[in-house]
Amino acid sequence: MKFSSSISLLLAVSSAVPSAVAYTPSSWGIQSRRSPLVMKSDSGGKSFSLTNLFGGEGGGQSSSTLRGSKNLEPHPSVLPHISPLNRLGPDPQSEITSEPLPVHPKVRSGTLPNGLPYIILPNKNPPGRFEAHLQVFSGSADELEPQQGIAHLTEHVAYMGSRKRELLFGTGSQTNAYTDFHHTVFYAVCPVQTPRGGAPMLPMALDALVDVMEARVETSRLEKERAAVLSEMTMVNTIEYRVECQILSTLHRENRLAKRFPIGKEKLIRSWQTDDVKSWHRTHYRPDNVLLYLVGDVDPDEAEKVIADKFGRISAEKQGSEIKLNEIKEQAKDLAKAVVSGTVKAAQSWHYPPVRHDWCVEANADVDPKLLIPAETPDYDIHLQKSYPLDEDVFFLQTEEVAPGKKIRPHIYRHELLQAFSMHLFSKRPVEPIVDLDSFRRSLARRVALAALQIRLNVGGRSDDPAFTFVEFNQLDSAREGCAVCSLDMTAEPHKWKEAIHKSLAEIRKLGVFGVTMGEMERYASSLMTDAEQLAAQGDRIQHGDQLAYLMETVANGHTFMSSEQSYHMTARALSSLTLEDVNEAARELCSHVMSFKEGEPAAEGPVIAVACLPKGYKEGDAEYCDEEALVEAIYEACQIEVEPEKDVVVPFTLVPEDDLAVAMEKNPPEWLGGQFTDGTPNTSPDSITRPFTLRRLGNGIRMGVAYNPHESQRGHLRIVAPGGRDAEKRLGFKKGSMAIGARTMQEGGAFGPWTREQVELFCVDHLLMVEINCSEESITIDFTFPTTNVGNVGFGDEVQLGITGTESVMQIVREIIVGFKWEQDALGRAKSSFRATHESLLKNLENLSTERIMEAMTSEDERFLSIDVPSVDAITLDEAKNAVMSQMSPSNLEISISGDFDVPEVLEMAYKYIGTIPADANKEFLKEEVKEGVGAKIGSVPQLPKPGKFIELELPDSDPRAVAYVAGSAPNAWGYLADGTTVAEKIMDKDKRASDYDKQRRKHPLFAYVALSLLSEIANRRLFSNVRERKQLTYDANFSFTGFERLLGGWFLVTVTASKENAQKALDACKETLHNLRKSQPITPDNVESAKRVVLNRHEFQLRTTQYWTEKMSGLQEESIPLKGPLSFTDFQAVVEAITPKDLQLALETMGLEDDELFTCIGRTVQTATPDDENE
């Protein structure tokens, strides 16, 4: 479910490749999470025998003896249980009722003689790399009462204490670990061979994971990690985290999850000694309770041998013999017995937490009897329904019966840091296994129904005066919770909370009662087919990380793990026989918990859970006031509203008819011109196609860059950049905030030509387009993701009617944005509402408010770099927003970059027709002369920092103690320009008078400063980690970053560190000390540089496999406002990185404002508010 991100605790380390950028769902396209083709599954069934558990199945027999296992007693917590391999195991549990789904032909699984299971999936992308993940099937939900938080602390100790993990440093590897309710995971992402020497790295990576299984628990390491965890406890305790805790506590009140959050209890964390940690470790880190995943460029036969050699010697008996605390050993044994006798973990999947659920299903629904687990057990309170001394003091209203048999479990959470009203309505259902064609078809029917409902909700939320500001309805299988969660998540302005509930629940009831229209079914079934086709086209080009995430989720929920090609074929078969009745049956089932509250409808089995979160301060009688009784009443009222069937909307086949395009071709004949560059690259001809990209200009002035990238099959990314942004807003004399609000208004709108916003939105849905429009300090950017194949198709197989390609549909929208966009008052209203909420939430967020205050001080309150306050937002009119944005939409100001899996000549031809026919003087009526520069910051650059620097302290009312500290100062922009117009290269040349001709030449390369600053950022982060976290034990994480402007001259660096209120000043001083030492007493070493190079090059190589990265890198190549950015910055990247020396970086460091009197520092602390009222915390 969607609350997993901040509850699951991730251990911060130095050198992780960032995950792929996730787009904010487009307000013009589908708003739903991208999910694998198979959504639902199961792995229930009978237990296997001890012979299976320890006898082993599959390959990889180890010749190693089980170390220390002779004459030892059995491990006290080892009991017979179902195999964690689920469908990939020797005894698959799920019942097959129709044609079974095929298993991925390359996947291999087995179990070592000691009971340790493994899964190997050979995968070729990226070549020469692999990922190994060790999943321990114990998390915070497995903790005893005096162990709350020990799973997470043990993860830290085992991971950070591994000396063999340290051997992976400098090899281009990334390692990390995380803890959640149901598991603890350690992983290593490595090259197949060491960079120097070519030694195989699989044995080294597995050595590091074996080291985790055999962890030494040393006092020094325990103290370091105790300090890190206590700091992390402060860091994660944001208002968003607290809201998630309230939601999960209510949702899972009948089981252990409500009382076992991974972060744990501070009192206990401070008290544990090495025996406590070692006892947890030896209880749970045992062969039968883990699963090793290996995905990547590996030979499965060889991998099995290495796995057997490394892991085969570990024995559960040896682990059990090292549990020193007998009382804990006995309590853990009792818990283990209770787990295998009455939980979904034992009944359905060993990946699940040891819990039961109050299922909310249709009356007389067929629920597997083994999942109907009693609420109370006579011998052991495994579901924690009794009160315990460490329980949180939280007020919950008991489940209410609003009508005979119709139950709601409500909870209200109020807090002074909350800004909006939100409601979260849940129904918990058993996970259905996706193992055969029938179950697969049902899962696709659910996806069609969910997509239809989400688009309806989006359209309803975009009226002139929308009831809600965000709404999402979904059902997802959650291995971390051991159930499928059907959820409605909705936010609204506090005074509209009842209206928001009424409208959202009425829309859900409408779907349940009347189902989808035929047009909706064709639209979303076609989208599923296109999605499956794109995945199949990727074949062995799917990234290791994506394959592994899909594999882990599929295995955990008991799905059949299929290849993308197999999924495609099964999708085609399932959709060919999918009927409207199938989809509407799925819709009825999805919405049954809401439908059941209608008078006269049968009651659902089990409770619906409702959680509302809202700001403090409202009193009974206020429109904004809501308590549990009012919430229940509003939900019940909403379900009585009469609903009518949905009407189909006519969706255009094309946005730009051929006749209109022919007229444009005749009136404004297009022309190609050559590309022009400022980095020293020779200009290109107008008719040549070059690699790695083709760069040209159109006769109307628009710069075009096109690159073929096959790594994301049948996918593309297009970016429009209009240089200017909030800097142009000030330069041209527009009202404060008009450029940013105008860009958001464009995002919220979408009507153009003869088409309404709803028609354009559904056109985007049909063609799987996502659009995101943003305004930064220096530009407006419009990003599109799209399929490159024919989409908007109707029918399947031989009966299919092809739509236009996603690439052509994007070109049409680009054209209309520039010349035909309709500015609508209601879109402005939604944009302004969003900016008001953003600014008001900033004032209640410790990190954001602290950053705002330090930025005010550094920029002398330059509005280009600050949040837009509410009075400024309110003052913007539609014409002002329109005029600001359209002043930047002159063709000569635009650059369009497009990358994807397509034919470059075809894309150039589309650009020629759709973009080249835009008149050169389009939008000339919006052009505006620059205003005369007034007193203050120079336009086009960041302000010169005032001297001396400044120390800022601020306090924010909050019920919980938190603190954050910052160190900031001047820095170059991404390309090495300082605010005064000088460059890093010039500064270095001036200091290094004795530089060789070779060094002078290197430093003149346009990419030199860009690379140097990237490496400096990596080195600074590693130093901060070593000093502030490891040596001084003052924080969980300290982070160094640059602002990275490309067009504005100059920028800033920012160090962020979280700490306890007591340690905030010490942490800030330690960060300043680290930066000082980097310049003076502990300068940059060759090892520092080599390690940073591996990180930067690996990240670059990884990102080159994404179309978005290509468009980001191409943007600006032909812009005069970024003179050093050109083709050389792309083609020479690796060579420039490899040539950088420690001296280069040491000298580059001196271009930053690091002297004490140049630094701006800030500490933000919360101040405890009065005692919470009796309804809240």
Side-chain angles (χ1 to χ4, degrees), residues 168-239:
L168 300 179
F169 291 170
T171 64
S173 300
Q174 299 87 40
T175 60
N176 217 326
Y178 55 93
T179 301
D180 209 328
F181 289 125
H182 61 311
H183 66 196
T184 306
V185 178
F186 303 84
Y187 65 85
V189 182
C190 307
V192 170
Q193 296 180 329
T194 55
R196 294 199 174 107
M201 285 211 61
L202 180 58
M204 295 175 63
L206 297 191
D207 275 339
L209 297 180
V210 169
D211 215 23
V212 164
M213 290 285 289
E214 300 177 327
R216 297 167 296 280
V217 182
E218 298 166 339
T219 301
S220 59
R221 176 51 61 185
L222 173 59
E223 293 308 318
K224 287 182 179 182
E225 299 315 311
R226 190 198 314 275
V229 167
L230 291 171
S231 174
E232 184 180 2
M233 180 174 281
T234 300
M235 182 189 77
V236 302
N237 193 33
T238 63
I239 187 60

Side-chain angles (χ1 to χ4, degrees), residues 831-846:
K832 293 170 77 167
S833 177
S834 173
F835 272 91
R836 287 189 204 100
T838 297
H839 184 75
E840 290 169 352
S841 65
L842 176 147
L843 300 177
K844 294 186 175 184
N845 181 286
L846 183 64

